[in-house]
Amino acid sequence: MPDIVLSDLQPTSAATAVDNSIAFLQTTATPFITPTISSVARASSNTSFSSNYNINNLDSPVTGSRSSTPGILTGRRPTFGQLFPRGYFNR
Amino acid sequence: MWCSLNRKGTNTTSTNGGYEYGFYGGDRGLDYQESANQIPTNDSYFTYIEYATSSTPTAYPLSIRIYKAQSPQDTNFAVIQFTQTINNAIIPFGSFTIHKGSNFGANIWDLNNVWNGGMTFYSSSGRTVSLIHQVPGYHYSSSTTQAEPSTNYSLTREANYGYLRETNNSWNYTFPVSNYSANIDTDNDNTNILTYYRNSTYDRYQSADTAVSYTNRDKSVSSSANYYKPIKGIPISNNLMPCPYYIPDDFIMLQVATSPGLTQFRPGDTITVSPSEIYEIILAGYQTSQNGLDNVSGNNSIGMLFCARTT
């Protein structure tokens, strides 16, 4: 078995861990930037943003059986909302 | 090295072709992982990129965005990102960089001796953007690309093995993570990279003590000390020494704390510092409705922005 020569493992020169001429530099001489951010404009704007609605986003209908008998408001005059009833009720 | 000789390649009709597509060659344990050097047919125990929402992934438009450095910067560097437009909001998914070119690892390794199979994944959580340095591949128990001492699953000749060599069986130990977190009115974590910030409006102490002896009841740091700037020269990983690569100067980190509190930072949003310095957001880690330095409840959106310079 050959002898282990420690000098074989010694670094021949020091390497630079972090290059200060490259790493983590400021981009501007302006001390304190006041940027305009489009994200803020979008959040603050009163302009509506239209969207193509995805039909798949609709919730599924309620499952289960439905009653075949009319609801309790059938044939009655509405108590609010409509000025005139639709149809002739209680005539 | 991808070997396709005498393989069907893209002519295969099998959806589970395995070696029919070709395979990674070289030396086992140095250049490829045994039995894992083919295109996997499932993502179990393999590195993968999530490029769409897991819920109804085909229901929304998918985009692939590429942010590439321009000459004289290193044109081998690019950030590739998948986004989907969901209910009019651009939502980022897989964001990554494939390490490429001779600038990467220059003066550390020689591509005549090793090969570079590394990637950087970009992710966001809370107020943080993270850079995750990784060598993709198969991983199961001690069968990882970084297994030390070398096994039939290690990629010992892969350049990053010099950094990521790992005797622990856990795959997670082979991911150096650099966390860039906002440092404005933020509860810091001692593993985060902290960005310098000064604002004389808030770096100020006002005492309620009315004793005559306290003549300086309202003092602030000089406004000349104010500091808020984008930071370039981002190391590809802040956990590796010597640093093998610095992301080109057109890519910056900018911490942000702004009102209104419901501001959402999306890929493609612009940051205009001046007419000659404009950035586009690639990925943002932020929290809305936060109590910021102005101490108005829910008035701030605070986070870190990873951006590319467009002007």
Side-chain angles (χ1 to χ4, degrees):
Chain A
M1 181 179 176
D3 293 338
I4 296 174
V5 181
L6 193 58
S7 61
D8 288 347
L9 304 175
Q10 298 300 307
T12 54
S13 62
T16 304
V18 176
D19 189 339
N20 285 333
S21 68
I22 302 175
F24 293 139
L25 302 177
Q26 56 203 26
T27 65
T28 175
T30 305
F32 195 95
I33 64 169
T34 51
T36 303
I37 306 173
S38 68
S39 321
V40 172
R42 182 179 58 238
S44 309
S45 171
N46 57 8
T47 304
S48 62
F49 289 86
S50 62
S51 172
N52 292 324
Y53 197 78
N54 188 330
I55 194 69
N56 292 326
N57 288 348
L58 286 173
D59 291 335
S60 300
V62 176
T63 58
S65 60
R66 311 285 199 287
S67 171
S68 59
T69 56
I72 57 172
L73 290 178
T74 302
R76 295 186 182 181
R77 209 181 275 270
T79 54
F80 62 90
Q82 291 179 307
L83 275 178
F84 304 100
R86 289 176 293 186
Y88 300 96
F89 301 126
N90 300 331
R91 193 174 180 182
Chain B
M1 179 176 64
W2 188 250
C3 304
S4 56
L5 187 64
N6 294 328
R7 301 286 162 176
K8 291 182 179 177
T10 55
N11 293 318
T12 185
T13 56
S14 172
T15 56
N16 189 20
Y19 287 97
E20 286 189 15
Y21 301 109
F23 58 93
Y24 286 108
D27 294 325
R28 182 180 58 171
L30 276 73
D31 302 316
Y32 72 85
Q33 299 179 280
E34 181 170 342
S35 303
N37 57 332
Q38 55 183 301
I39 295 176
T41 52
N42 66 69
D43 55 19
S44 297
Y45 308 115
F46 280 90
T47 311
Y48 63 90
I49 297 166
E50 189 172 289
Y51 64 89
T53 179
S54 57
S55 172
T56 60
T58 60
Y60 310 104
L62 178 70
S63 298
I64 304 175
R65 295 163 179 255
I66 298 174
Y67 306 86
K68 185 178 179 183
Q70 295 185 351
S71 181
Q73 296 177 42
D74 184 5
T75 55
N76 281 320
F77 182 88
V79 177
I80 303 168
Q81 181 183 56
F82 293 91
T83 63
Q84 281 191 297
T85 306
I86 301 176
N87 292 341
N88 208 39
I90 298 173
I91 309 296
F93 289 94
S95 308
F96 61 96
T97 290
I98 298 173
H99 301 166
K100 180 188 175 190
S102 56
N103 287 334
F104 210 107
N107 301 319
I108 302 173
W109 60 65
D110 186 335
L111 292 175
N112 288 315
N113 303 321
V114 297
W115 55 278
N116 190 351
M119 293 179 68
T120 296
F121 292 87
Y122 305 89
S123 71
S124 63
S125 177
R127 300 181 180 185
T128 302
V129 172
S130 299
L131 275 59
I132 306 165
H133 196 90
Q134 195 176 127
V135 174
Y138 173 75
H139 52 91
Y140 179 76
S141 185
S142 60
S143 304
T144 76
T145 57
Q146 311 308 131
E148 181 192 31
S150 299
T151 71
N152 53 337
Y153 287 102
S154 56
L155 297 178
T156 315
R157 192 145 41 204
E158 195 282 321
N160 292 279
Y161 185 89
Y163 293 117
L164 308 182
R165 51 194 310 139
E166 176 56 57
T167 192
N168 191 301
N169 289 344
S170 173
W171 170 245
N172 292 333
Y173 281 92
T174 63
F175 304 161
V177 179
S178 308
N179 291 325
Y180 293 85
S181 184
N183 193 22
I184 303 172
D185 210 41
T186 296
D187 184 6
N188 291 319
D189 185 307
N190 59 9
T191 63
N192 289 346
I193 297 156
L194 307 177
T195 310
Y196 196 74
Y197 179 79
R198 281 205 174 276
N199 186 338
S200 61
T201 302
Y202 301 110
D203 293 358
R204 173 183 185 186
Y205 178 65
Q206 294 171 288
S207 173
D209 195 325
T210 57
V212 176
S213 56
Y214 294 103
T215 54
N216 300 324
R217 288 192 293 271
D218 184 357
K219 285 289 184 180
S220 66
V221 176
S222 167
S223 61
S224 297
N226 282 356
Y227 190 100
Y228 177 47
K229 304 182 182 196
I231 302 296
K232 61 183 179 179
I234 309 297
I236 195 69
S237 172
N238 208 41
N239 307 77
L240 308 179
M241 185 172 77
C243 179
Y245 190 77
Y246 296 91
I247 295 175
D249 284 351
D250 279 352
F251 295 83
I252 60 105
M253 292 285 181
L254 178 66
Q255 57 183 340
V256 65
T258 186
S259 61
L262 291 179
T263 301
Q264 307 265 358
F265 300 96
R266 302 294 190 196
D269 288 354
T270 57
I271 312 288
T272 305
V273 175
S274 70
S276 60
E277 186 177 352
I278 301 174
Y279 300 94
E280 196 170 301
I281 295 174
I282 302 173
L283 189 64
Y286 63 96
Q287 293 175 318
T288 58
S289 301
Q290 300 296 296
N291 193 357
L293 286 173
D294 57 12
N295 214 26
V296 178
S297 179
N299 194 42
N300 277 253
S301 182
I302 301 177
M304 180 62 79
L305 312 178
F306 178 48
C307 306
R309 187 167 185 167
T310 57
T311 302

